[in-house]
Amino acid sequence: MSSNRAVAYKGPGKVEVVDIDYPTFELKDGPGVNPANVGRQLPHAAILKVATTNICGSDQHMVRGRTTAPEGLILGHEITGEVVETGPGVEFIKEGDLCSVPFNISCGRCANCKKGRTEICLNVNPDRPGSAYGYVDMGGWVGGQAEYVLVPYADWNLLRFPDKDQALEKILDLTMLSDIFPTGYHGAVSAGVGPGSSVYIAGAGPVGLAAAVGAQLLGAAVVIVADMVAERLGAAQAFGCETIDVSQEDPREGIARILGTEEVDCGVDAVGFEARGHGQGAGEAPATVLNSLMSITKAGGALGIPGLYVTGDPGGIDDAAKEGSLSLRLGLGWAKSLSFTTGQCPVMRYHRQLMEAILHDKVQIASAVNATSISLDDAPEGYAEFDSGVAKKFVIDPHGVTKLTA
C-alpha cells in the first residue's frame, strides 16, 4: 500500500504536512467526521493521485481560527487528479482518467441532486444538506491537499478531461474548475450579469477575480472590482476591470467616477463574513459588503453572494457575529426589490462549459488569478503568504505535475 501525506489544520494560524492513511473504500473515523458517517462503505468511489490542489480563501477562514474546525482536520476541497483505483460500483470512470473534482460532494440520487442542486445534497452529510472535502461541518470527508484522495460517487462527481495531454498543458487553468472559477461565475450569473451589464464585485481575491472573468464571459460592459489591497486591484486592472480602493474612496463615489451614475445593474459579494468597513484603518464590520451592495445596486437588481458566511465564528466581533447574525439593512433590500442568492456554488451546473472555454482558449483564468505552483512541503508557507493579502492563487502540486508541463 502506498504512503500518503497531507496538509492538516493544527490550530489557529498553524498548518502542518503530516502522514495520513492511504485512502480505502470506507470512510473512517477522524477529525471532523460525523459519527453517522464512520464506517460508510464506498464501492462507488475512486482513489485519485492528486495532480493539483489549491489553497482557498475558505480554507483561510478555518486556519485563522474563525470557524469551529477541529484540530487535525485534513484540508483541501479544490482537487484535480488522476484515477489510480476504482471501487466495484464504478462503471464509467477508468484508471488513468485525469479529472476535476467538484468541491461539492453529492450523491446524484437525492431529490436535490436530481434538480441540479448538488450543493445541498441530502445524502452525504448527516449534519445538514451539502458537503465538501476537508471542511468544517461538512461530514468529515478527508481533504485533498494530499498526495492521494478518495472521491465518492465517482461516476457522478468526476469531470473527466477529454484529452489528457491537452489537459496537462492547461492544468493551471483547469485546476480552477473544482471551485473558484465556477464559484465566481455563479456569483456573476446569480447577480444577473448579461450583455451590456454594469457589475460591482466586492473583493479582489481569487473568487472576486474569477467573478470578474465570469462577468466578462457573460458580456458585461463594465466590471468594477473593489478591494483595499493595491496589488489585488492591479491584478483586476490587468485584464480590463475598473477598480475602486475602498480604503480611499466610497463605493458610490467610485462608481459615479467610473459610470457617471452612483448605481450598478448587478452586485457580487466575494468577501464574506470577515469583511472590513470602508475607509482608512477600518476594522472588521461583517455586514459592510452586503449593506453597501444593497445601496449601490439598482432597484430590481440582484446580488450574487458566493462569499462565505458561517453559523459559528469564535472570532466574531460580538455575540451576534459569533453565530452568524449580521446587522443587515433588509428594509433597504426590500424597498429596492433586490434578489439575493447565497450558499455554495453548484459546481456541476457550470464546470463542463467552463472547461470547454478553457480548452478552446476563450479564457485564461490561471493568469487572471496569478496561479502560483508550490510543493506540498511548501504549503504552510503558501498559507502564510496568501493570508498576507498577496495577489496569488496558490496551487499545491504534490507530484511535480506543473513542472513537467511548464
Side-chain angles (χ1 to χ4, degrees), residues 48-69:
L48 271 61
K49 180 181 180 180
V50 175
T52 53
T53 175
N54 315 327
I55 298 176
C56 180
S58 298
D59 296 323
Q60 288 285 19
H61 293 305
M62 289 189 291
V63 172
R64 292 186 191 118
R66 296 299 299 268
T67 72
T68 56

mmCIF file of all heavy atoms in Angstrom, residues 48-69:
data_model
loop_
_atom_site.group_PDB
_atom_site.id
_atom_site.type_symbol
_atom_site.label_atom_id
_atom_site.label_comp_id
_atom_site.label_asym_id
_atom_site.label_seq_id
_atom_site.Cartn_x
_atom_site.Cartn_y
_atom_site.Cartn_z
ATOM 1 N N LEU A 48 -7.817 8.928 -6.216
ATOM 2 C CA LEU A 48 -7.087 9.777 -7.152
ATOM 3 C C LEU A 48 -5.697 10.091 -6.640
ATOM 4 O O LEU A 48 -5.504 10.351 -5.445
ATOM 5 C CB LEU A 48 -7.830 11.109 -7.371
ATOM 6 C CG LEU A 48 -8.876 11.174 -8.485
ATOM 7 C CD1 LEU A 48 -10.007 10.179 -8.220
ATOM 8 C CD2 LEU A 48 -9.435 12.587 -8.608
ATOM 9 N N LYS A 49 -4.734 10.062 -7.546
ATOM 10 C CA LYS A 49 -3.414 10.634 -7.303
ATOM 11 C C LYS A 49 -3.532 12.114 -7.610
ATOM 12 O O LYS A 49 -3.826 12.500 -8.744
ATOM 13 C CB LYS A 49 -2.372 9.969 -8.196
ATOM 14 C CG LYS A 49 -0.963 10.494 -8.013
ATOM 15 C CD LYS A 49 0.005 9.769 -8.967
ATOM 16 C CE LYS A 49 1.417 10.271 -8.804
ATOM 17 N NZ LYS A 49 2.351 9.552 -9.745
ATOM 18 N N VAL A 50 -3.352 12.942 -6.607
ATOM 19 C CA VAL A 50 -3.637 14.366 -6.756
ATOM 20 C C VAL A 50 -2.617 15.016 -7.690
ATOM 21 O O VAL A 50 -1.398 14.899 -7.482
ATOM 22 C CB VAL A 50 -3.646 15.065 -5.385
ATOM 23 C CG1 VAL A 50 -3.824 16.570 -5.555
ATOM 24 C CG2 VAL A 50 -4.756 14.490 -4.502
ATOM 25 N N ALA A 51 -3.120 15.676 -8.720
ATOM 26 C CA ALA A 51 -2.262 16.432 -9.639
ATOM 27 C C ALA A 51 -2.057 17.850 -9.114
ATOM 28 O O ALA A 51 -0.921 18.331 -9.009
ATOM 29 C CB ALA A 51 -2.871 16.459 -11.032
ATOM 30 N N THR A 52 -3.159 18.505 -8.792
ATOM 31 C CA THR A 52 -3.108 19.859 -8.235
ATOM 32 C C THR A 52 -4.217 20.007 -7.209
ATOM 33 O O THR A 52 -5.294 19.414 -7.347
ATOM 34 C CB THR A 52 -3.292 20.942 -9.315
ATOM 35 O OG1 THR A 52 -4.497 20.672 -10.058
ATOM 36 C CG2 THR A 52 -2.098 20.998 -10.256
ATOM 37 N N THR A 53 -3.971 20.800 -6.189
ATOM 38 C CA THR A 53 -4.972 21.057 -5.152
ATOM 39 C C THR A 53 -4.704 22.452 -4.607
ATOM 40 O O THR A 53 -3.583 22.763 -4.198
ATOM 41 C CB THR A 53 -4.942 19.978 -4.062
ATOM 42 O OG1 THR A 53 -5.849 20.315 -3.025
ATOM 43 C CG2 THR A 53 -3.548 19.788 -3.488
ATOM 44 N N ASN A 54 -5.687 23.308 -4.631
ATOM 45 C CA ASN A 54 -5.465 24.734 -4.400
ATOM 46 C C ASN A 54 -5.775 25.150 -2.968
ATOM 47 O O ASN A 54 -6.635 24.572 -2.307
ATOM 48 C CB ASN A 54 -6.356 25.554 -5.336
ATOM 49 C CG ASN A 54 -6.337 25.031 -6.757
ATOM 50 O OD1 ASN A 54 -5.325 24.523 -7.222
ATOM 51 N ND2 ASN A 54 -7.466 25.160 -7.441
ATOM 52 N N ILE A 55 -5.084 26.186 -2.518
ATOM 53 C CA ILE A 55 -5.427 26.828 -1.252
ATOM 54 C C ILE A 55 -6.534 27.832 -1.529
ATOM 55 O O ILE A 55 -6.421 28.681 -2.408
ATOM 56 C CB ILE A 55 -4.215 27.534 -0.632
ATOM 57 C CG1 ILE A 55 -3.112 26.515 -0.318
ATOM 58 C CG2 ILE A 55 -4.617 28.286 0.634
ATOM 59 C CD1 ILE A 55 -1.821 27.128 0.205
ATOM 60 N N CYS A 56 -7.613 27.736 -0.773
ATOM 61 C CA CYS A 56 -8.797 28.567 -0.975
ATOM 62 C C CYS A 56 -8.937 29.566 0.176
ATOM 63 O O CYS A 56 -8.554 29.281 1.317
ATOM 64 C CB CYS A 56 -10.039 27.679 -1.048
ATOM 65 S SG CYS A 56 -11.590 28.559 -1.308
ATOM 66 N N GLY A 57 -9.533 30.707 -0.128
ATOM 67 C CA GLY A 57 -9.826 31.664 0.926
ATOM 68 C C GLY A 57 -10.706 31.068 2.009
ATOM 69 O O GLY A 57 -10.598 31.444 3.188
ATOM 70 N N SER A 58 -11.555 30.123 1.640
ATOM 71 C CA SER A 58 -12.386 29.450 2.645
ATOM 72 C C SER A 58 -11.534 28.626 3.601
ATOM 73 O O SER A 58 -11.851 28.514 4.791
ATOM 74 C CB SER A 58 -13.421 28.547 1.961
ATOM 75 O OG SER A 58 -14.300 29.306 1.160
ATOM 76 N N ASP A 59 -10.461 28.029 3.090
ATOM 77 C CA ASP A 59 -9.531 27.332 3.976
ATOM 78 C C ASP A 59 -8.921 28.310 4.980
ATOM 79 O O ASP A 59 -8.719 27.974 6.153
ATOM 80 C CB ASP A 59 -8.393 26.696 3.174
ATOM 81 C CG ASP A 59 -8.851 25.618 2.215
ATOM 82 O OD1 ASP A 59 -9.768 24.863 2.573
ATOM 83 O OD2 ASP A 59 -8.291 25.533 1.111
ATOM 84 N N GLN A 60 -8.630 29.525 4.514
ATOM 85 C CA GLN A 60 -8.004 30.516 5.385
ATOM 86 C C GLN A 60 -8.899 30.876 6.566
ATOM 87 O O GLN A 60 -8.399 31.134 7.666
ATOM 88 C CB GLN A 60 -7.653 31.785 4.592
ATOM 89 C CG GLN A 60 -6.493 31.625 3.639
ATOM 90 C CD GLN A 60 -5.145 31.579 4.336
ATOM 91 O OE1 GLN A 60 -5.048 31.319 5.535
ATOM 92 N NE2 GLN A 60 -4.084 31.809 3.604
ATOM 93 N N HIS A 61 -10.205 30.910 6.353
ATOM 94 C CA HIS A 61 -11.104 31.185 7.477
ATOM 95 C C HIS A 61 -10.884 30.165 8.594
ATOM 96 O O HIS A 61 -10.842 30.519 9.779
ATOM 97 C CB HIS A 61 -12.566 31.138 7.025
ATOM 98 C CG HIS A 61 -12.961 32.221 6.075
ATOM 99 N ND1 HIS A 61 -12.788 33.555 6.351
ATOM 100 C CD2 HIS A 61 -13.544 32.171 4.846
ATOM 101 C CE1 HIS A 61 -13.239 34.278 5.343
ATOM 102 N NE2 HIS A 61 -13.695 33.458 4.422
ATOM 103 N N MET A 62 -10.753 28.891 8.215
ATOM 104 C CA MET A 62 -10.519 27.855 9.218
ATOM 105 C C MET A 62 -9.156 28.019 9.865
ATOM 106 O O MET A 62 -9.018 27.932 11.094
ATOM 107 C CB MET A 62 -10.639 26.469 8.580
ATOM 108 C CG MET A 62 -12.049 26.067 8.201
ATOM 109 S SD MET A 62 -12.165 24.332 7.703
ATOM 110 C CE MET A 62 -11.285 24.358 6.144
ATOM 111 N N VAL A 63 -8.135 28.250 9.045
ATOM 112 C CA VAL A 63 -6.772 28.325 9.567
ATOM 113 C C VAL A 63 -6.608 29.527 10.495
ATOM 114 O O VAL A 63 -5.828 29.488 11.453
ATOM 115 C CB VAL A 63 -5.760 28.342 8.407
ATOM 116 C CG1 VAL A 63 -4.352 28.618 8.904
ATOM 117 C CG2 VAL A 63 -5.803 27.011 7.666
ATOM 118 N N ARG A 64 -7.343 30.595 10.250
ATOM 119 C CA ARG A 64 -7.304 31.748 11.154
ATOM 120 C C ARG A 64 -8.007 31.467 12.485
ATOM 121 O O ARG A 64 -7.970 32.293 13.395
ATOM 122 C CB ARG A 64 -7.970 32.957 10.496
ATOM 123 C CG ARG A 64 -7.222 33.524 9.302
ATOM 124 C CD ARG A 64 -7.899 34.800 8.819
ATOM 125 N NE ARG A 64 -7.368 35.238 7.537
ATOM 126 C CZ ARG A 64 -8.070 35.339 6.422
ATOM 127 N NH1 ARG A 64 -9.359 35.045 6.423
ATOM 128 N NH2 ARG A 64 -7.496 35.741 5.303
ATOM 129 N N GLY A 65 -8.686 30.343 12.590
ATOM 130 C CA GLY A 65 -9.439 30.037 13.801
ATOM 131 C C GLY A 65 -10.808 30.666 13.826
ATOM 132 O O GLY A 65 -11.422 30.795 14.897
ATOM 133 N N ARG A 66 -11.323 31.021 12.641
ATOM 134 C CA ARG A 66 -12.598 31.725 12.566
ATOM 135 C C ARG A 66 -13.779 30.783 12.306
ATOM 136 O O ARG A 66 -14.861 31.241 11.931
ATOM 137 C CB ARG A 66 -12.516 32.801 11.484
ATOM 138 C CG ARG A 66 -11.502 33.905 11.787
ATOM 139 C CD ARG A 66 -11.823 34.673 13.061
ATOM 140 N NE ARG A 66 -13.093 35.331 12.968
ATOM 141 C CZ ARG A 66 -13.244 36.591 12.528
ATOM 142 N NH1 ARG A 66 -12.187 37.298 12.165
ATOM 143 N NH2 ARG A 66 -14.436 37.146 12.480
ATOM 144 N N THR A 67 -13.566 29.494 12.493
ATOM 145 C CA THR A 67 -14.658 28.527 12.407
ATOM 146 C C THR A 67 -14.487 27.547 13.573
ATOM 147 O O THR A 67 -13.561 27.654 14.365
ATOM 148 C CB THR A 67 -14.634 27.743 11.084
ATOM 149 O OG1 THR A 67 -13.538 26.815 11.099
ATOM 150 C CG2 THR A 67 -14.509 28.671 9.880
ATOM 151 N N THR A 68 -15.369 26.572 13.629
ATOM 152 C CA THR A 68 -15.289 25.550 14.673
ATOM 153 C C THR A 68 -14.554 24.302 14.183
ATOM 154 O O THR A 68 -14.753 23.211 14.715
ATOM 155 C CB THR A 68 -16.702 25.173 15.158
ATOM 156 O OG1 THR A 68 -17.491 24.751 14.027
ATOM 157 C CG2 THR A 68 -17.384 26.361 15.822
ATOM 158 N N ALA A 69 -13.696 24.448 13.184
ATOM 159 C CA ALA A 69 -12.939 23.316 12.647
ATOM 160 C C ALA A 69 -12.092 22.670 13.741
ATOM 161 O O ALA A 69 -11.421 23.363 14.512
ATOM 162 C CB ALA A 69 -12.045 23.774 11.502
#
